[in-house]
């Protein structure tokens, strides 16, 4: 059974600081995906990582993959409020190419959202 987990499961950020989200999975995988979802909107694909050592960057987000450790990281540099969203990682398995496991509850929260409550 494929298991995918993320750490931390919930993240409250401060503007301008750096953060890392970890995605680990329990089986050998062909590829790893990162997505984001804004409230009320559909999933948006961020990165597809196809091999160990792969690193991709777009704006303030950078993702990397270590297939030996079965770990992917999503780095957020100098967080800004626009990055507030729910982030997902997903993997494909070698034995069932069409089976994807999606871990749904990692959220990056805007910089002052929790501090003002």
């Amino acid at each position: 059974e494929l298991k995918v987990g993320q750490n931390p499961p919930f993240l409250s950020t401060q503007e301008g600081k750096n953060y890392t989200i970890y995605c680990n999975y329990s089986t050998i995988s062909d590829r790893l995906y990162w997505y984001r979802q804004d409230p009320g909107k559909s999933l948006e694909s961020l990165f597809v990582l196809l091999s160990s050592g792969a690193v991709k960057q777009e704006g303030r987000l950078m993702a990397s993959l270590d297939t030996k450790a079965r770990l992917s990281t999503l780095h957020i540099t100098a967080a800004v409020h626009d990055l507030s969203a729910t982030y997902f990682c997903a993997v494909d398995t070698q034995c069932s190419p069409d089976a994807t496991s999606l871990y749904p509850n990692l959220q990056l929260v805007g910089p002052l959202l929790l501090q003002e409550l």
Side-chain angles (χ1 to χ4, degrees):
E1 177 187 356
L2 173 61
K3 293 182 181 178
V4 180
Q6 288 178 218
N7 183 43
F10 185 80
L11 186 61
S12 177
T13 68
Q14 292 183 359
E15 195 153 324
K17 293 196 173 182
N18 301 333
Y19 298 91
T20 302
I21 301 165
Y22 299 91
C23 174
N24 54 70
Y25 50 95
S26 63
T27 189
I28 297 171
S29 175
D30 285 330
R31 60 193 68 153
L32 187 136
Y33 307 86
W34 281 100
Y35 299 94
R36 68 171 278 166
Q37 187 171 30
D38 293 313
K41 296 187 178 178
S42 58
L43 282 176
E44 173 190 351
S45 177
L46 293 174
F47 303 105
V48 181
L49 302 170
L50 301 176
S51 62
S52 193
V55 176
K56 291 193 176 182
Q57 183 167 1
E58 185 173 323
R60 298 176 187 271
L61 300 176
M62 182 176 71
S64 62
L65 178 62
D66 181 342
T67 56
K68 289 183 181 178
R70 296 179 183 173
L71 177 70
S72 179
T73 56
L74 181 67
H75 300 283
I76 300 159
T77 303
V80 293
H81 186 71
D82 286 351
L83 294 175
S84 179
T86 301
Y87 289 80
F88 301 87
C89 66
V91 298
D92 278 347
T93 62
Q94 288 182 331
C95 56
S96 304
D98 57 346
T100 301
S101 177
L102 190 63
Y103 190 84
N105 63 355
L106 183 81
Q107 190 166 19
L108 175 65
V109 188
L112 299 177
L113 236 52
L114 295 182
Q115 296 164 359
E116 293 180 347
L117 293 178

